[in-house]
């Protein structure tokens, strides 16, 4: 009773979510579009019990601090409210990432927790409702409910803001994303803080919103036409625009490190030499390279001239949220 377990995969936005119009409900300023990947996932179990006197949260077998536990607790409150119970819970999450280099994602984590709560409390949520609930944990998590290409419709209320799968004729199966892991000691600005500062202060924020609405249309058209060059071009330019807004924030900040720039230039050079590939970056120094499956080994060979093999990880299209059987405990 009151047990649930689920697995969710991470997603990378091709058209970014960057800015909220409602921080409590996590309603975004703009639509975003992502690709769910198979290489990184989270498995989370939750157990609600009248015997617990507080919520606890373990990540990779380590009990987490008050800040991380509070974030989980606030999410559990939403699930408890839906179920009409007040039991505390124990949450255990395991991140499955090929290396330990900062690729753990709040998207897969909160999406998996959503699925685990749905099962444990027998909420019976539809995919749309799972996406709405996951959004409250972390915006990008609402996209990890689904596999393949996904669009998060920004909406203007809790009810109207959720993600859904973009019909693609399985084109995503021809694509890949290579991660270039950049080791940087610098303490990052979290995506939550970074996007808020940008909304409030960046001189470029209005242009970001104007052009991103167009980029969504361009990306959807490219997916419909299975036009890799068009999808790659809009992905790369949208990511660069997101990062440009941070430079115009007050105070200015950037997620780029010197090696991020080196990676971006390498991708441009590989492309100039005839292999089609495009980069994007999120709220950290790692660079992600969108390419076609058929070109993966040739692109990896080129990237290995600049980066260590351990820095390179290849991912393919991944699936949506999955319920997992709980191990039977005595
Ligand atoms: O994924 O404040 O979901 O569209 O990764 O928890 O709602 O961690 F860096 C860009 C993700 C932001 C773009 O933000 O924020 C994207 C980003 P929260 P998230």
């Amino acid at each position: 009773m009151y047990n649930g377990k689920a697995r969710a995969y991470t997603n990378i936005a091709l058209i970014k979510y960057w800015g909220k119009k409602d921080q409590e409900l996590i309603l975004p300023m703009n639509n975003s579009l992502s690709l769910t990947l198979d290489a990184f996932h989270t498995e989370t179990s939750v157990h609600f019990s009248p015997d617990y006197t507080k919520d606890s949260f373990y990540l990779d077998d380590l009990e987490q601090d008050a800040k991380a536990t509070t974030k989980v607790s606030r999410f559990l409150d939403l699930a408890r409210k839906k179920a009409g119970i007040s039991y505390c819970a124990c949450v255990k999450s395991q991140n499955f990432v090929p290396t330990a280099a900062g690729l753990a994602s709040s998207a897969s984590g909160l999406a998996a927790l959503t699925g685990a709560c749905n099962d444990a409390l027998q909420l019976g949520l539809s995919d749309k409702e799972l996406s709405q609930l996951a959004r409250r944990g972390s915006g990008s998590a609402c996209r990890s409910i689904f596999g393949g290409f996904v669009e998060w419709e920004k909406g203007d209320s809790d009810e109207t803001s959720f993600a859904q799968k973009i019909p693609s004729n399985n084109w995503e199966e021809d694509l890949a994303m290579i991660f270039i892991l950049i080791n940087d000691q610098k303490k990052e600005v979290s995506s939550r803080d970074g996007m808020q500062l940008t909304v409030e202060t960046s001189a470029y924020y209005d242009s970001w919103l104007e052009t991103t609405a167009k980029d969504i249309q361009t990306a959807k058209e490219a997916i419909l036409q299975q036009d890799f060059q068009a999808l790659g071009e809009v992905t790369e330019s949208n990511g660069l625009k997101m990062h440009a807004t941070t430079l115009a924030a007050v105070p200015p900040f950037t997620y780029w490190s010197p090696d991020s720039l080196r990676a971006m230039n390498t991708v441009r050079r590989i492309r100039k030499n005839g292999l089609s590939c495009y980069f994007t970056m999120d709220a950290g120094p790692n660079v992600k390279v969108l390419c076609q499956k058929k070109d993966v080994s040739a692109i990896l060979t080129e990237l290995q001239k600049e980066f260590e093999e351990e820095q390179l990880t290849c991912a393919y299209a991944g699936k949506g949220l999955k319920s997992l059987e709980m191990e039977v405990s005595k």
Side-chain angles (χ1 to χ4, degrees):
M1 267 285 266
Y2 296 117
N3 277 319
K5 186 172 182 184
R7 174 193 303 144
Y9 293 83
T10 198
N11 72 77
I12 295 297
L14 307 183
I15 308 299
K16 307 293 184 189
Y17 149 49
W18 194 241
K20 298 177 181 65
K21 63 185 166 209
D22 186 320
Q23 295 186 69
E24 175 60 29
L25 291 176
I26 311 204
L27 301 179
M29 288 283 205
N30 60 279
N31 286 24
S32 53
L33 187 155
S34 59
L35 182 60
T36 302
L37 298 174
D38 66 349
F40 320 107
H41 69 271
T42 305
E43 288 184 7
T44 297
S45 67
V46 61
H47 179 218
F48 291 88
S49 165
D51 299 338
Y52 296 138
T53 52
K54 61 176 180 56
D55 292 328
S56 53
F57 172 39
Y58 293 81
L59 181 58
D60 296 331
D61 296 324
L62 286 176
E63 184 157 21
Q64 299 297 293
D65 65 11
K67 192 175 173 213
T69 308
T70 303
K71 189 174 172 191
V72 166
S73 259
R74 290 188 58 182
F75 181 82
L76 293 172
D77 287 342
L78 299 170
R80 281 188 278 251
K81 197 171 166 202
K82 279 191 191 293
I85 65 152
S86 56
Y87 296 169
C88 291
C90 176
V91 173
K92 289 184 177 164
S93 250
Q94 203 82 38
N95 273 330
F96 294 83
V97 292
T99 68
L103 280 175
S105 121
S106 65
S108 57
L110 269 299
L113 180 59
T114 304
C117 288
N118 185 44
D119 291 352
L121 300 173
Q122 300 185 353
L123 298 175
L125 301 178
S126 65
D127 284 351
K128 173 181 155 181
E129 291 165 330
L130 287 166
S131 179
Q132 289 164 333
L133 181 57
R135 191 198 79 233
R136 300 290 301 273
S138 186
S140 53
C142 79
R143 300 185 307 235
S144 275
I145 301 299
F146 304 94
F149 289 112
V150 179
E151 181 179 10
W152 175 9
E153 165 60 43
K154 63 183 190 307
D156 55 12
S157 62
D158 189 28
E159 182 58 31
T160 54
S161 186
F162 56 87
Q164 51 196 333
K165 208 170 156 55
I166 298 177
S168 62
N169 256 325
N170 295 330
W171 182 45
E172 64 273 17
E173 285 169 18
D174 295 346
L175 306 184
M177 195 170 267
I178 300 170
F179 284 65
I180 306 175
L181 305 176
I182 307 292
N183 304 312
D184 191 335
Q185 303 304 313
K186 203 175 76 182
K187 173 116 181 63
E188 281 169 24
V189 181
S190 72
S191 44
R192 191 161 288 193
D193 294 345
M195 69 172 79
Q196 190 53 27
L197 182 67
T198 305
V199 170
E200 286 167 7
T201 67
S202 177
Y204 297 164
Y205 196 73
D206 286 347
S207 338
W208 159 257
L209 286 183
E210 267 168 44
T211 59
T212 294
K214 289 188 206 120
D215 291 347
I216 286 275
Q217 290 315 319
T218 306
K220 283 168 77 172
E221 183 64 20
I223 291 168
L224 198 69
Q225 305 290 336
Q226 305 199 349
D227 182 340
F228 181 72
Q229 186 181 338
L231 184 65
E233 282 174 0
V234 74
T235 295
E236 193 169 290
S237 95
N238 184 267
L240 286 167
K241 284 187 285 188
M242 177 196 122
H243 288 273
T245 67
T246 72
L247 293 176
V250 186
F253 66 103
T254 185
Y255 292 107
W256 295 5
S257 72
D259 275 351
S260 312
L261 208 50
R262 190 157 67 87
M264 290 188 263
N265 284 334
T266 303
V267 171
R268 288 190 180 107
R269 181 173 50 74
I270 295 172
R271 190 162 72 224
K272 211 169 155 201
N273 291 341
L275 284 167
S276 192
C277 56
Y278 298 86
F279 61 78
T280 188
M281 285 177 66
D282 293 289
N286 296 326
V287 174
K288 293 124 194 180
V289 186
L290 181 67
C291 63
Q292 297 168 96
K293 224 178 206 172
K294 66 178 175 61
D295 295 330
V296 163
S297 71
I299 293 171
L300 278 173
T301 304
E302 288 304 311
L303 289 172
Q304 277 163 12
K305 293 177 185 165
E306 281 287 332
F307 298 94
E308 303 293 324
E309 215 170 321
E310 305 81 66
Q311 289 179 270
L312 304 172
T313 298
C314 189
Y316 300 100
K319 299 191 179 69
L321 178 68
K322 186 174 175 4
S323 288
L324 300 173
E325 290 292 319
M326 289 294 291
E327 286 149 29
V328 182
S329 56
K330 285 186 223 143

